[in-house]
Amino acid sequence: MPRDPRYDLLFEPVRIGPVVAKNRFYQVPHCNGMGYARPHGHAAMRGVKAEGGWAVVSTEEVDIHPSSDISPYIEGRLWDDHDIPALALVTEAIHRHGALAAIELVHAGMNASNLYSREVSLAPDHVPSAAGYAPSQARAMTRSDIRAFRRWHREAALRARRAGFNIIYVYAGHGLSLPMHFLQSRHNHRTDEYGGSLANRMRLLRELIEDTKDAVGLNCAVAVRFAVDEMRGADGIEAQLEGREVIERLAELPDLWDVNVSDWSNDSKTSRFAPEGYQEEFVRFVKTVTTKPVVGVGRFTSPDTMVSQIRRGVLDFIGAARPSIADPFLPKKIENGEVDDIRECIGCNICVTGDYTMTPIRCTQNPTMGEEWRKGWHPEAIPPRRGDDSFLIVGAGPSGLECARLLGRRGYSVHVAEAGEQLGGRVTVESRLPGLAAWARVRDYRLNQINKLPNVEIFRGSHVTPDQVLEFGATRIVLATGARWRRDGVGRYNTRPIPGFEQCQRVFSPDDLLNGAAPSGRVVVFDDDHFYLGALLAEKLRADGLEVCLVTPAERASAWTVNTLEQYAIQKRLLKIGVRVFTNRNVAQFDGAGATLECTYTERRETLAADSLVTVTARLPNTELAEGLDLGAEALAAAGIRSIQSIGDCLAPSTIAAAVYAGHRYAREFDWPDTDEVPFQRELPASIAGRSHSG
Ligand SMILES: Cc1cc2nc3c(=O)[nH]c(=O)nc-3n(C[C@H](O)[C@H](O)[C@H](O)COP(=O)(O)O)c2cc1C
Ligand code: SF4
């Protein structure tokens, strides 16, 4: 289809210093859990972004020196020449598709743990290490340290150019780098020419830009990533005060400004806490004080919003991390007039969890993310059918729908039987909770794609029995029947049912609430799940006007959401709306009038008056159909069935991302031979790869 002329603006080339970007789509730096450790995986992932039409594809933060070692996190490294080949793989993959390659050079200063290198951390002042609660300090840099740091940065820029990068960043974003630490008055109490006035505190940033331009500026563009607002009021940089002044004073020095807000949790806000375009109010001044091109971010997935940002003079480039993860082909789809095929980011930050857990990146919407090299998965190119199989998928939740979409795209005949009247499973019900509306995109993208496939048919209100499955005539049966929440309190902390839970009519599971049950009076939400749902139900019940307490055996509310950057915002919101939060407490008993809480350290007990209790602990897979079909190979063969496979939550409850991944994986791999081999390529350390072990 031809492109909609309204979007032509997005495809104009833009000059950035000595280089030209072919359009306005700019993939800003984002880490991916592959970095220096898995360079082939990293390169393949960036290559797919370039193929998908991004004019600029950036690395993640790339540490420039052993004193900037942020182990155990896996980012990029450019410590010396040995790191060049791994990064050259990345630039080659990006250049192959006509995109510019950008590298974000970083010295993490006091944020570097240096656990691997065992160097002493560096900072403007003597300060405790910012890497968690590590009992170590960073030391104040002397003038000669500053000179050394400038030399390391310059050398890294030269190496980056040798690796093939076209855009080289000086990084002062997120409060995670030395030039930013020098800028922050709360961290910089120096009395020399690098401390005190703003002009002094920004001296290091200015010098780094000048050094980088001097070193590589003839052929490489020099970009600055700068957080104009730290969202901590007068204690930090504010967009209308020092944030603005920094850009005014350095306005024409770099070739490009990449501007955002800080810290990372404010920059990568989830859809629960911020809408698309949420950074505009902070960054809109930038273009009024510089003539250099400006990149900004804000979970942009709508081409109309993108055009509006450019027309209104807010941005020159549409920066994107998450939208490019959810759909690496977003620019191409707009260019080809396929806007309704865009797989829109849902703003859940599962992509961030890869970084926090030091594992390759994953994405709820895009199951191929992180699998480009190790499994050879491509987000758009899918192998065609290889045989005469036909499929019955039972269940139209995220797993069943993704499986149907992909099998359908491969050309197989697919029937989906959904017991209920609505499609989308847990995504549909959960997306009705406060702030989760965008999660419905998981369903909507898949249904939209399936509707274009004549070979996929969905039957609603079809509760199928084992006999009906046997009679159906499909050669492959896929069970995607989901899971249900337990009501007995068994979970992580309690391995046996909690007294009173099963007997009491006033105990509700999340399924009860999501299906319309309404607790009344004073409510205790017992959260032993630790992800988003417990706190979200507490928030909803509070909004319904109830008195709500959240009780959790963990040390904080929604403890696992540290990994999605949401924990602080969640607990803050609970406290602000008047939910009382009891941490390090188990619910030992509930009788409809009160909950007995028990301290997880001392076992000291107290009673909390409560009329209802919502228990969010663990789920049980819905295995009834699988059990009914466990008839042995002969009976199945007699019915013409080659395989029955459970996928997603009905196999083992997990995240929506894991359910989508399971559906995708089945559709790609269902006919792979059964082997004990590792099901993906691995990147073994170069020093031992290829050696065989005979002893
Ligand atoms: C998984 C992930 C990793 C990120 N890693 C980096 C990084 O290494 N360096 C950086 O400057 N920003 C990083 N960011 C922040 C993004 O560049 C971006 O500013 C932010 O996500 C907001 O843009 P978006 O709404 O398009 O995602 C990361 C974001 C995500 C989601
Ligand atoms: S994991 Fe979630 S937030 Fe991250 S890119 Fe995918 S859909 Fe967007």
Side-chain angles (χ1 to χ4, degrees), residues 27-32 46 59-62 75 104 106 169 171 173-174 176 225 258-261 264 266-269 278-279 296-300 319-325 345 349-355 361-362 565:
Q27 183 246 277
V28 291
H30 75 76
C31 41
N32 48 83
R46 301 292 182 199
T59 62
E60 65 275 57
E61 66 161 272
V62 174
E75 315 295 330
E104 187 180 55
V106 175
Y169 267 92
Y171 175 58
H174 300 118
L176 292 176
R225 185 154 229 215
D258 175 350
V259 284
N260 60 355
V261 295
W264 188 13
N266 288 321
D267 184 25
S268 299
K269 273 202 176 156
Y278 56 92
Q279 302 203 17
V297 286
R299 238 177 38 245
F300 294 119
R322 292 167 294 176
S324 75
I325 294 168
C345 167
N349 277 4
I350 285 293
C351 48
V352 174
T353 70
D355 190 53
I361 189 167
R362 61 213 58 210
L565 302 171

